[in-house]
Amino acid sequence: MTHFLFDGFDTAPVSILLAHGAGAAMDSPSMTATAKALATAGFQVARFEFHYMAARRYGHRKPPPRAETVNPEYIRAIADLRAKGVTGKLIIGGKSMGGRVASMVADEIFEKGEIAGLVCLGYPFHPPAKPEQLRTKHLLGLKTPTLIFQGRRDEFGTKDEVATYGLSDAIEMIWLEDGDHDLKPRKAISGFSTADHLRTMAERVKAWAEGL
């Protein structure tokens, strides 16, 4: 059974399932702040870890696997969340690799009517400094309603780069001013804080979810 961290109220009409990025656990400061921002906006948020990350808690230092190899773990997490009694509208997603994995399983689950949408935070369109190694093939025909929040200076995919990808019309890109891969801006330059961007993210997700 998948272990979850919950934020928000179990009476929330919409739940969001989030997976972590390649190098930071589900209870990292960034993931915790993200979950709390979404909970404040009225969602119930469930976080979970892939097996390689959970194993690190017991001294087993495992490198991140290829993203597609953990697709079954994400599908299992959705089933386990429902088994815990979480009902109602469900949105899946995650940070960086977690969002990428969610995007790879989304259409299969969406077509069954089991999820309503997908939210990706800092999508890794390509490895840093390797813009030719795109991770976008499955995004070209994606059918699941999707929001991708990306910092304008994200080294995994800039606004100019993403504009050339021909992504599915089901995807809406939200660009956060001066944000890095963690959506973190430089306040002295942009005037925004990370909390500002997370609040904007949560409010946009809330407005979008109401139409799903």
Side-chain angles (χ1 to χ4, degrees):
M1 178 67 73
T2 308
H3 172 66
F4 299 99
L5 289 180
F6 287 98
D7 291 272
F9 296 98
D10 58 12
T11 54
V14 182
S15 297
I16 300 179
L17 178 62
L18 293 178
H20 54 85
M26 65 179 176
D27 56 356
S28 67
S30 176
M31 285 290 291
T32 298
T34 297
K36 292 192 179 305
L38 289 166
T40 298
F43 297 100
Q44 177 180 218
V45 183
R47 290 174 272 167
F48 78 99
E49 287 180 342
F50 298 116
H51 293 163
Y52 82 91
M53 183 62 73
R56 293 183 180 184
R57 298 181 183 275
Y58 303 97
H60 304 292
R61 188 71 183 178
K62 297 184 177 182
R66 292 178 62 86
E68 57 270 20
T69 66
V70 296
N71 287 2
E73 293 183 43
Y74 207 116
I75 294 171
R76 189 176 308 115
I78 295 170
D80 287 348
L81 189 65
R82 292 303 197 190
K84 280 186 170 291
V86 175
T87 59
K89 192 181 295 183
L90 177 63
I91 294 168
I92 66 171
K95 172 74 181 71
S96 192
M97 188 187 86
R100 183 185 173 203
V101 175
S103 73
M104 288 191 285
V105 304
D107 275 0
E108 174 187 347
I109 309 300
F110 178 69
E111 289 171 1
K112 295 177 181 178
E114 296 175 8
I115 62 170
L118 168 70
V119 173
C120 300
L121 308 170
Y123 188 89
F125 289 101
H126 60 73
K130 296 180 179 179
E132 72 284 354
Q133 294 184 21
L134 291 179
R135 299 159 171 165
T136 57
K137 185 177 180 179
H138 69 288
L139 299 180
L140 306 184
L142 193 71
K143 297 179 177 62
T144 307
T146 301
L147 285 184
I148 297 179
F149 292 88
Q150 198 84 350
R152 284 182 177 267
R153 59 187 178 93
D154 191 334
E155 61 183 353
F156 288 77
T158 66
K159 188 174 183 180
D160 287 345
E161 290 170 340
V162 175
T164 69
Y165 294 161
L167 301 179
S168 164
D169 290 340
I171 299 173
E172 180 180 356
M173 293 293 307
I174 310 295
W175 293 95
L176 297 172
E177 189 64 36
D178 197 55
D180 63 10
H181 191 52
D182 289 325
L183 311 181
K184 182 179 180 179
R186 298 164 294 186
K187 189 167 187 178
I189 293 175
S190 68
F192 294 102
S193 67
T194 303
D196 291 332
H197 279 353
L198 290 179
R199 186 163 51 249
T200 295
M201 176 274 298
E203 290 171 355
R204 289 295 296 266
V205 174
K206 182 179 182 180
W208 169 78
E210 289 172 355
L212 295 179

